Amino acid sequence: MPTLLLVRHGRSTANTEGLLAGWTPGVHLDDRGTAQASALPGRLAALPLAEVVTSPLDRCRETVAPLLQARPGLTHHTDERIGECHYGDWTGRKLAELKDEPLMEVVQAHPSAAAFPGGESMRAMQTRAAEAVREWNARVERDHGPDAVYLMCSHGDIIKSLVAEALGLHLDLFQRISVEPCSVTAIRYTRLRPFLLRLGDTGDLASLAPREEPPAGDATVGGDAGAP
């Protein structure tokens, strides 16, 4: 099955202002986020991308814009299922204010029990995102073959929940995972289990390019030899 590159959007104005943006319209990349997006095509230059899928929110679309410009033949899709968590009444509020809300302790320590007032639960967020990945894996494999690499540009909580799902971690442990703005997390899916190849990588990604001999479906005892 394909390899999925999960790109968190570049740094946004909401990130720098300490706001929980959620689905608030008009949240764009700031200057640093724009620079991060501009650097993304170079970081991915060695990888033959089959498809690009993004959250419909502006900050994700702006993150992949330089990549799509550099590769005009690359097909771009949007999928609401990898959009940000619906934070409901918390949307647009300052994180500094929310830290004293009783629910925030649940979000941090027991997220599988957390549901945002007027929004969705974190379990529902993870479920919809994982379903999207499974469907896109099947579609990309059908259209481009089992060794294809494709990219999804999404949000921090979505990516962390997908990493937890891939590793077989309970959602209550997903807050132990960290992904920086415009970082790349790579998961290679196989028939029996996924493999986490990169987590929150902000550097060069050439070693993720498909090899002449595809890796086996089993883990390498003692550790892989790495890229040639």
Side-chain angles (χ1 to χ4, degrees), residues 12-218:
S12 71
T13 54
N15 294 145
T16 51
E17 293 170 8
L19 297 175
L20 189 64
W23 284 72
T24 303
V27 175
H28 300 285
L29 300 183
D30 67 5
D31 289 344
R32 182 175 177 183
T34 300
Q36 291 170 333
S38 296
L40 189 60
R43 294 170 58 204
L44 298 172
L47 303 183
L49 298 177
E51 308 270 358
V52 169
V53 186
T54 68
S55 156
L57 296 172
D58 290 335
R59 52 197 184 272
C60 288
R61 297 172 69 90
E62 291 170 4
T63 298
V64 300
L67 176 64
L68 296 173
Q69 185 175 12
R71 303 195 193 192
L74 194 55
T75 306
H76 173 224
H77 313 267
T78 59
D79 192 324
E80 290 195 355
R81 295 173 297 175
I82 61 167
E84 182 61 283
C85 186
H86 292 277
Y87 295 116
D89 298 344
W90 281 24
T91 301
R93 292 182 60 185
K94 286 190 171 292
L95 291 167
E97 298 172 357
L98 291 170
K99 67 180 178 63
D100 295 324
E101 293 277 356
L103 178 60
M104 183 59 86
E105 187 175 16
V106 181
V107 170
Q108 292 295 325
H110 190 20
S112 66
F116 296 97
E120 71 179 332
S121 69
M122 303 201 87
R123 294 190 314 278
M125 174 200 73
Q126 183 187 45
T127 297
R128 64 172 164 84
E131 287 177 349
V133 167
R134 282 191 283 273
E135 289 182 19
W136 279 103
N137 281 348
R139 177 172 173 175
V140 170
E141 181 173 16
R142 180 197 69 204
D143 294 344
H144 302 280
D147 299 322
V149 179
Y150 75 107
L151 182 149
M152 280 185 169
C153 185
S154 188
H155 307 266
D157 280 350
I158 295 288
I159 294 171
K160 289 161 55 179
S161 74
L162 289 171
V163 170
E165 201 261 353
L167 292 177
L169 296 177
H170 197 282
L171 184 60
D172 286 345
L173 302 178
F174 100 125
Q175 296 290 25
R176 302 182 184 192
I177 299 166
S178 177
V179 289
E180 294 184 21
C182 220
S183 63
V184 177
T185 293
I187 302 172
R188 179 168 59 83
Y189 289 87
T190 72
R191 187 174 64 86
L192 297 179
R193 55 184 169 174
F195 291 85
L196 181 64
L197 306 180
R198 294 286 187 283
L199 176 61
D201 196 321
T202 57
D204 181 77
L205 297 157
S207 64
L208 290 175
R211 306 180 191 181
E212 291 185 8
E213 291 188 20
D218 287 334

